[in-house]
Amino acid sequence: MSITLGPNRYGKAETRVVRVTKNGNKHDLRDLNVSVALSGDMEDVHLTGDNGAVLPTDTQKNTVFAFAKQYGIASPEEFGLRLARHFVDSQPTIDHARVEIEEYAWERNVVGLNAHPHSFVRSGRETRTARIHYDGNKAWVVSGLKDLTVLNSTGSEFHGYIRDQYTTLRETRDRVLATEVEAQWRHSGDTAEWDKSYEIVRRCLLQAFADTHSLSLQQTLYAMGERVLETVSDIVEVKLALPNKHHFEVDLTPFGQVNDNEVFWAADRPYGLIEGTVVRSVPTAGPAWD
């Protein structure tokens, strides 16, 4: 029996960098959490402890900070691409870089009727995400978001499903549909107006969720992914994970009251988890999501 080293990578996880861009009295803010993972000619360090091929993870952290100062942060995707290319192109022992980024949104603090030029309030919006791969020749960009909580108070049904001896769920023609959207979308290339593209995709997801009279959360998932692909031509795949945030109608008959889908209790677990990928029909090359 032979024992060999399998696929491996290493890097600096969760470097939190906040970049303030100053244009006179008016400031702009980007708040990122950056994780780097590198792979390449790393056999010796695993087998003998020889660190000659290793770029220290502390150096990777310092590079994030230095690049934030030198180049600014135009978008998570642009910043991640710049880092990934640097690590691969500058180090002969590194042949692949993966950069994962979360962005936390801030809004300007509104004082009276005016937005303060350098005071901010943490936004209640979702977390923006980006994952960038670069192998020395080609880059792949996966943008995304998570923690986008949405709810339709009507316009959702669930019936006609398999029933067996363990089924107790009642069919319904009118229910609350709520979920916490996690979405990732893969671009066909490595250039885009990243911020503009993000807002368009976010709007597509929200519009499709609101517009779809849903017979199942799976149907809604497909409609959301389809809307994105129909709207943004350079996106080739949309991957969605939609936990069903169940809202159950409360039985008010013991109190002599009729509950006409007005009072619910929200259950956090267990929950249904619906996952799926909507793909453009044209075949595409490159790694999908990892």
Side-chain angles (χ1 to χ4, degrees):
M1 180 185 72
S2 62
I3 300 174
T4 60
L5 176 67
N8 62 88
R9 57 192 173 210
Y10 79 105
K12 198 67 159 184
E14 300 199 27
T15 298
R16 187 68 177 270
V17 54
V18 177
R19 176 60 153 95
V20 178
T21 301
K22 300 179 180 180
N23 298 300
N25 189 44
K26 184 181 178 182
H27 295 179
D28 294 302
L29 192 68
R30 305 295 302 231
D31 184 351
L32 306 185
N33 194 25
V34 181
S35 293
V36 176
L38 307 178
S39 56
D41 183 13
M42 296 294 148
E43 194 165 294
D44 286 348
V45 67
H46 286 89
L47 302 185
T48 69
D50 182 349
N51 294 313
V54 175
L55 182 70
T57 65
D58 190 67
T59 303
Q60 298 171 37
K61 174 203 69 179
N62 292 340
T63 305
V64 171
F65 292 136
F67 273 36
K69 166 60 179 176
Q70 184 175 356
Y71 301 108
I73 300 174
S75 68
E77 291 87 352
E78 182 274 340
F79 190 63
L81 280 164
R82 189 181 296 277
L83 287 168
R85 289 186 172 117
H86 165 78
F87 288 127
V88 174
D89 293 343
S90 67
Q91 302 300 325
T93 59
I94 305 299
D95 60 27
H96 187 275
R98 184 190 70 189
V99 180
E100 294 184 289
I101 298 176
E102 296 180 346
E103 179 173 25
Y104 311 114
W106 293 82
E107 298 174 347
R108 294 195 182 280
N109 187 5
V110 178
V111 181
L113 298 177
N114 301 312
H116 198 284
H118 56 258
S119 181
F120 299 86
V121 178
R122 182 66 178 271
S123 171
R125 284 177 53 140
E126 74 286 347
T127 299
R128 179 174 171 178
T129 64
R131 183 183 301 114
I132 296 91
H133 289 266
Y134 177 64
D135 65 3
N137 295 305
K138 185 174 177 58
W140 295 269
V141 179
V142 177
S143 301
L145 59 81
K146 63 181 182 178
D147 305 325
L148 177 63
T149 303
V150 291
L151 181 150
N152 289 340
S153 58
T154 190
S156 176
E157 309 178 31
F158 191 56
H159 49 79
Y161 44 79
I162 294 172
R163 304 187 69 91
D164 66 10
Q165 66 269 35
Y166 303 112
T167 302
T168 60
L169 184 69
R170 291 183 300 172
E171 294 189 344
T172 179
R173 305 282 173 165
D174 187 11
R175 67 170 181 169
V176 167
L177 183 66
T179 188
E180 190 173 84
V181 179
E182 180 176 350
Q184 299 175 73
W185 49 94
R186 186 160 69 91
H187 300 265
S188 60
D190 58 4
T191 58
E193 294 183 71
W194 302 111
D195 285 351
K196 181 179 178 181
S197 176
Y198 179 84
E199 292 300 330
I200 292 172
V201 173
R202 183 181 188 273
R203 184 171 66 249
C204 287
L205 295 172
L206 292 175
Q207 287 175 339
F209 180 82
D211 292 346
T212 303
H213 185 97
S214 178
L215 302 180
S216 66
L217 190 49
Q218 287 90 335
Q219 178 194 11
T220 300
L221 179 150
Y222 184 82
M224 294 167 74
E226 182 182 43
R227 182 76 63 92
V228 171
L229 294 181
E230 288 175 343
T231 305
V232 188
S233 60
D234 77 320
I235 293 176
V236 295
E237 295 179 74
V238 182
K239 182 178 181 181
L240 289 153
L242 304 180
N244 198 336
K245 301 179 77 68
H246 299 295
H247 287 66
F248 296 107
E249 188 178 0
V250 178
D251 181 9
L252 298 178
T253 56
F255 319 120
Q257 297 176 322
V258 176
N259 188 0
D260 184 21
N261 275 347
E262 296 169 303
V263 180
F264 302 87
W265 64 276
D268 65 343
R269 67 193 65 184
Y271 56 86
L273 179 59
I274 313 303
E275 300 175 291
T277 304
V278 185
V279 184
R280 197 176 295 281
S281 58
V282 178
T284 58
W289 306 109
D290 182 32

